[in-house]
Amino acid sequence: MNKERNICIVGLGLLGGSYAMGLTRAGYTVTAVDVRPEAIRYALEKGIIAAGAVEGFAPLLAGADAVVLGLYPHALVDWLRNNQKHLKPGALLTDVCGVKSGVVEEIQGFLRPDAEFIASHPMAGKEVSGVEHADCAIFKPANFIIVPT
């Protein structure tokens, strides 16, 4: 990816927040969607993201070249089914959830043909959660699993 790309993180938990932190530090324009207003506020105050929203986030998705889905498996499928209409044509999607059975096949069954889902899982984490504990260094020693589709 080149530096002009826009990336939207959906879910500012530990992994989503750490992705946002690392990508922002690398020079990408990072936006975020989360259900917690305090997570968006924290990430904005700390310079982890350039913009964020709890609702009315369609413009953030429409402007994103890539979307990192930091959602739990049970929420990921429904969220994507309901919000794929907002994606930019040609958008690249990936996730961080550890469960792939039932997720990958279902998403491949309904995803728009002009979007690409690459199921993945960074083997990283901590005993704490939330963007407040984000640390992009957790990815340095971690393996990264990509699931073929």
Side-chain angles (χ1 to χ4, degrees), residues 103-123:
V103 173
V104 175
E105 291 172 357
E106 190 166 354
I107 289 172
Q108 293 295 335
F110 68 75
L111 188 64
R112 294 173 14 192
D114 66 343
E116 179 71 30
F117 177 64
I118 300 171
S120 64
H121 182 57
M123 303 301 290

Side-chain angles (χ1 to χ4, degrees), residues 56-64 67 79-80 82-89 91 112:
F57 50 78
L60 298 179
L61 292 176
V67 178
W79 191 92
L80 188 53
N82 294 330
N83 291 289
Q84 67 173 322
K85 63 184 172 258
H86 304 302
L87 296 173
K88 179 181 196 176
R112 294 173 14 192

Side-chain angles (χ1 to χ4, degrees), residues 14-26 48 122 124-126 131 133-142:
L14 175 66
L15 291 179
S18 297
Y19 258 102
M21 178 183 284
L23 291 166
T24 294
R25 287 183 181 175
I48 295 171
K126 292 182 179 181
V131 68
H133 301 285
D135 179 4
C136 54
I138 65 174
F139 298 121
K140 288 183 182 177

Side-chain angles (χ1 to χ4, degrees), residues 36-61:
R36 296 184 317 126
E38 60 272 19
I40 297 294
R41 190 169 35 258
Y42 179 88
L44 286 167
E45 288 172 1
K46 298 296 182 183
I48 295 171
I49 59 173
V54 172
E55 53 190 34
F57 50 78
L60 298 179
L61 292 176

